[in-house]
Amino acid sequence: MGTTAMVLKQGEVFLVADQGGDIGRSVAGAGIYFRDTRFLSQYHLLLNDQAPVLLDSSAEHNTVGIAQFGNACLTSADGDEILPNTISLRRYRLVDRDVIEQLELRNFNSFPVDLELELTFGSDFQDIFDVRGFRRARQGRVQIPRREGNTLILGYHAPDDARQELVIHLNRTPDETSVAVGAGYTTELEEMRTILPGYDRIVRSEPTGRPPQISVMFRVHLEPQGRDRVDLTFTPREVIHDGKELLEPRPVIGSVPGGLGPEHFTAVRTNNEVFNKLIDRSLRDLRTLVTPFPALGQMVAAGIPWYVAPFGRDSLITALQTMMFSPELSVDTLRALAAEQGKTVDPWTEEQPGKILHEQRFGEMARLGEIPHVPYYGTVDATPLFIILFCEMMRWMGTRELFAELRSPVERALEWVDRYGDSDGDGFVDYGRPSRGGLTNEGWKDSDNSLQFPDYSPVATPIALVEVQGYVYRAKRDLAAVFDAFGEHETARRLTQEAEALRGRFEERFWSPEDEFYGQAIDGTGRLVRAISSNPGHALFSGIVAPEHAAAVAKRLRGPEMYSGWGIRTLSTQMPSYNPMSYHNGSVWPHDNSLIVAGMRRYGHDDDANAVFSDLVAAATHFEYGRLPELFCGFSREFERYTIPIAYPVSCSPQAWAAGSLPFMLQTALGMEADALNRRLTLHPSLPGWLEAIELRGLRVAGHRLDITITGRGQDVELSLGPGSQVEVVIDRETAQRH
């Protein structure tokens, strides 16, 4: 969202506003949201008919925002001038079950002043997909706002008779109330906008009617040094279409329900104070994004504002990234996704038996069948990633009870890989013709133009992506190890053989001798898409890359065409479709880099891994609050000109797998491998030069808590354990290679 937005969230409610806290003036998509509906789209305040002057603001703590204003030059009721910045207006805002706001006024003049504080509210009650630019088949009716005593009610009547309301409770009775119903209009902001992050195309909006507004005015008398306050509480609620059930956000103040509060994340302290702040920011954001979704339970939402929803791929990768910090999050994620695992074949939603969902929505457009997200299963990689996360969770938690509980969903996921995943029988998992309401591309680079032949010739379906074959390989290899540990040796042998057979086919078909690199995909005609992209870095992560090719892959990813100086680009600067300001064709994604860093370490390229880690740490310091965004532009870092990383304008921030990136790279630098069944934790450390001491408190392995301190440089480190450790912890200074 860039640096001009105030973003707050807790539980199912989130808010996007400008830096001063106003909604609807300058930030696209601003509003108060609950379950994919924008319940407030306009909210601004005036002081004596003028906008106050913003001095500073902060949303650093994710659930709390504060904005401090001074007054512009005002004229009092008796005609006297009130000098600027002699009246303080402080806006304090908390998101919990409701959005709670306090507006505190204070007079620093030597004489009394009389002020008029005017607040204006309006709501379009748009579905989040409508906000993002999707065309609607039909619209409901926004009701005329009304006041009942100290309560304002904004309402909406949906086409299927569902009703939604935003109830605004005031702590005092307004002195004046007015309602305005505007004519059709289109603002400059709405006339031309990118339809979706990643679609890299423009849509022109149709003129829309201004939602009706309600304004309230409070007359405030302030003696010298005097104070006064107006309190507001915003409560979104909806009556579902049967007219019987009233839904409101659930209270979540304090720790996130289910035990994922601060005390349930491993605490980290290092010798580097800058890095300490970045890790703290990452963990704060992750806790904020953990969301209790209806019928699913809690899992990490993908990002604010566009993707506060269950996401298969994003939630799985985030849980994988944060295993060292909260293995419990992986259990919650697996359970939630297993609850909606595919059962039947449905071309509209792309559901298939055993398949893991891509995205689930709860708003009006999903309810009316205008979009297939009920849930939508259009992802080719979430299902093998589900198996990978299960296996990694077993390494860290490893109980027979969890194995028994999740075995069936994992086996169904494996059956999808073998039965449905390979639609043309060529031995590679692919995706084909999508739902008419779905995505064109179904890998992690899911924008329309993210997969192109260098000569721009058409890419035919079905499409087998390079990284997906790696995920399948690792899923089978890792699952073989789990079955072997539980005594099912025949199944383990079969899975290992299948993985190695896939590895042979992969080398034969995806390796390009001309490029000395792997292609991005094989299309439906059997052609290798010889785009030089970051995708083969995920193949390093999975271990499918042949050892004799790993060095060439690592070298090219760190070469000038792929490496910006802040991180690895999604696409080479030598490709015709390269654009550093695009979503997937030249930008830098932190999560992409974190997986590649893990792949580099897997194959022993520690210096490259530490260089990328260090540069992403440097990049993070340039973003607001030290928060890595979903992505940033791929412009080259020019040291002599002191250039900075450039934000992508509509990226989510905070965003889950971006928040997981630095924690995962720390785990990768430590080379942590858990063996819960044998109560053993092995470290293969290779630390960057700026990291010489790491304290981990409350690290969970096999159900036990550990306190560990690692000191030293590079691979020459020492280890000390806190008292009472029931897990064996050892250092193996040989590079871990599990490929």
Side-chain angles (χ1 to χ4, degrees), residues 77-365:
D78 56 10
D80 293 335
E81 286 190 345
I82 302 173
L83 293 177
N85 296 329
T86 58
I87 304 294
S88 165
L89 172 59
R90 175 169 290 184
R91 170 182 258 161
Y92 174 83
R93 182 175 280 164
L94 169 69
V95 178
D96 180 29
R97 170 180 176 171
D98 312 304
V99 176
I100 300 165
E101 181 158 294
Q102 297 173 351
L103 299 170
E104 183 182 80
L105 291 155
R106 187 172 181 182
N107 176 23
F108 290 100
N109 289 285
S110 59
F111 53 87
V113 297
D114 291 300
L115 301 170
E116 293 182 350
L117 177 65
E118 182 179 4
L119 310 177
T120 299
F121 311 92
S123 181
D124 52 22
F125 289 92
Q126 283 189 337
D127 186 285
I128 185 69
F129 278 74
D130 200 357
V131 175
R132 288 159 56 188
F134 280 76
R135 302 297 189 187
R136 293 297 310 274
R138 48 186 173 154
Q139 297 276 5
R141 298 191 306 276
V142 177
Q143 307 296 300
I144 303 298
R146 66 187 190 275
R147 178 169 75 86
E148 297 177 357
N150 289 2
T151 299
L152 311 179
I153 301 174
L154 282 63
Y156 174 74
H157 189 177
D160 60 350
D161 287 334
R163 297 175 184 270
Q164 295 166 319
E165 292 180 339
L166 180 72
V167 179
I168 307 171
H169 180 74
L170 310 169
N171 70 329
R172 56 203 278 183
T173 303
D175 294 289
E176 292 183 11
T177 303
S178 62
V179 175
V181 180
Y185 85 114
T186 299
T187 69
E188 182 179 351
L189 181 67
E190 290 172 325
E191 275 184 4
M192 186 178 290
R193 58 182 173 181
T194 302
I195 185 170
L196 281 175
Y199 276 61
D200 294 336
R201 67 173 183 249
I202 297 299
V203 61
R204 295 184 181 277
S205 299
E206 298 294 330
T208 57
R210 182 188 297 274
Q213 299 177 333
I214 186 168
S215 297
V216 294
M217 189 268 284
F218 300 92
R219 295 188 178 93
V220 179
H221 177 80
L222 295 176
E223 293 294 328
Q225 300 296 322
R227 303 170 186 260
D228 202 353
R229 200 174 86 184
V230 174
D231 294 347
L232 306 90
T233 302
F234 302 83
T235 303
R237 64 188 188 185
E238 56 184 1
V239 180
I240 61 175
H241 59 275
D242 62 9
K244 297 178 181 178
E245 185 177 356
L246 184 68
L247 299 175
E248 294 183 353
R250 289 170 280 180
V252 293
I253 196 73
S255 297
V256 175
L260 284 176
E263 71 279 7
H264 287 87
F265 276 71
T266 300
V268 178
R269 183 81 180 174
T270 77
N271 64 296
N272 189 303
E273 287 300 324
V274 171
F275 186 65
N276 291 340
K277 292 178 181 179
L278 298 179
I279 285 290
D280 180 67
R281 165 54 49 203
S282 295
L283 298 181
R284 281 177 183 266
D285 289 348
L286 287 165
R287 289 193 292 267
T288 296
L289 289 167
V290 173
T291 305
F293 292 111
L296 285 177
Q298 69 178 16
M299 60 189 295
V300 174
I304 303 173
W306 312 116
Y307 302 119
V308 180
F311 263 76
R313 176 195 309 116
D314 297 56
S315 299
L316 288 162
I317 288 178
T318 303
L320 190 68
Q321 290 173 318
T322 54
M323 193 69 69
M324 184 179 86
F325 295 85
S326 178
E328 296 87 353
L329 182 59
S330 66
V331 178
D332 287 343
T333 302
L334 291 165
R335 285 172 174 162
L337 293 174
E340 288 287 358
Q341 192 171 19
K343 298 178 178 63
T344 187
V345 175
D346 184 342
W348 169 239
T349 64
E350 299 188 46
E351 180 181 3
Q352 292 171 328
K355 198 174 186 182
I356 298 300
L357 67 84
H358 172 61
E359 178 181 359
Q360 185 165 7
R361 293 293 184 167
F362 307 98
E364 176 180 300
M365 291 177 68

Side-chain angles (χ1 to χ4, degrees), residues 267-552:
V268 178
R269 183 81 180 174
T270 77
N271 64 296
N272 189 303
E273 287 300 324
V274 171
F275 186 65
N276 291 340
K277 292 178 181 179
L278 298 179
I279 285 290
D280 180 67
R281 165 54 49 203
S282 295
L283 298 181
R284 281 177 183 266
D285 289 348
L286 287 165
R287 289 193 292 267
T288 296
L289 289 167
V290 173
T291 305
F293 292 111
L296 285 177
Q298 69 178 16
M299 60 189 295
V300 174
I304 303 173
W306 312 116
Y307 302 119
V308 180
F311 263 76
R313 176 195 309 116
D314 297 56
S315 299
L316 288 162
I317 288 178
T318 303
L320 190 68
Q321 290 173 318
T322 54
M323 193 69 69
M324 184 179 86
F325 295 85
S326 178
E328 296 87 353
L329 182 59
S330 66
V331 178
D332 287 343
T333 302
L334 291 165
R335 285 172 174 162
L337 293 174
E340 288 287 358
Q341 192 171 19
K343 298 178 178 63
T344 187
V345 175
D346 184 342
W348 169 239
T349 64
E350 299 188 46
E351 180 181 3
Q352 292 171 328
K355 198 174 186 182
I356 298 300
L357 67 84
H358 172 61
E359 178 181 359
Q360 185 165 7
R361 293 293 184 167
F362 307 98
E364 176 180 300
M365 291 177 68
R367 196 176 67 243
L368 296 178
E370 295 180 32
I371 55 175
H373 298 62
V374 289
Y376 171 57
Y377 292 83
T379 172
V380 70
D381 50 16
T383 308
L385 285 168
F386 181 87
I387 300 172
I388 290 172
L389 180 63
F390 166 77
C391 297
E392 193 65 19
M393 180 276 295
M394 289 300 298
R395 288 193 183 101
W396 284 80
M397 302 186 75
T399 66
R400 292 188 177 275
E401 290 76 14
L402 284 171
F403 178 73
E405 175 190 350
L406 293 166
R407 175 175 182 160
S408 180
V410 167
E411 289 181 333
R412 291 198 299 271
L414 185 64
E415 184 179 358
W416 177 85
V417 167
D418 292 335
R419 181 177 177 186
Y420 294 95
D422 180 7
S423 66
D424 60 1
D426 67 351
F428 299 120
V429 170
D430 56 43
Y431 61 93
R433 183 170 298 172
S435 162
R436 58 183 172 83
L439 296 163
T440 300
N441 289 313
E442 298 188 355
W444 84 261
K445 295 178 180 177
D446 56 7
S447 53
D448 283 358
N449 62 356
S450 65
L451 181 67
Q452 300 183 57
F453 282 105
D455 63 0
Y456 293 110
S457 58
V459 181
T461 58
I463 295 164
L465 295 169
V466 61
E467 74 272 19
V468 173
Q469 314 319 311
Y471 299 156
V472 173
Y473 171 84
R474 178 164 175 175
K476 291 192 173 186
R477 284 294 302 263
D478 287 2
L479 192 56
V482 172
F483 277 116
D484 195 53
F486 282 92
E488 300 189 28
H489 306 303
E490 185 56 39
T491 301
R493 280 192 294 271
R494 174 178 60 82
L495 289 171
T496 301
Q497 290 168 358
E498 291 175 0
E500 291 308 310
L502 171 59
R503 187 178 195 175
R505 295 192 299 273
F506 175 82
E507 285 297 326
E508 181 182 349
R509 298 289 303 281
F510 279 88
W511 179 253
S512 171
E514 299 92 331
D515 302 311
E516 292 190 330
F517 204 67
Y518 292 97
Q520 189 175 347
I522 294 172
D523 84 340
T525 68
R527 294 176 64 199
L528 180 67
V529 181
R530 290 173 52 193
I532 306 302
S533 70
S534 64
N535 301 54
H538 294 225
L540 289 176
F541 160 76
S542 69
I544 196 172
V545 171
E548 62 268 23
H549 292 152

Side-chain angles (χ1 to χ4, degrees), residues 701-715:
V701 180
H704 299 283
R705 288 180 174 268
L706 308 174
D707 294 339
I708 302 175
T709 302
I710 302 102
T711 56
R713 295 186 176 185
Q715 296 183 11

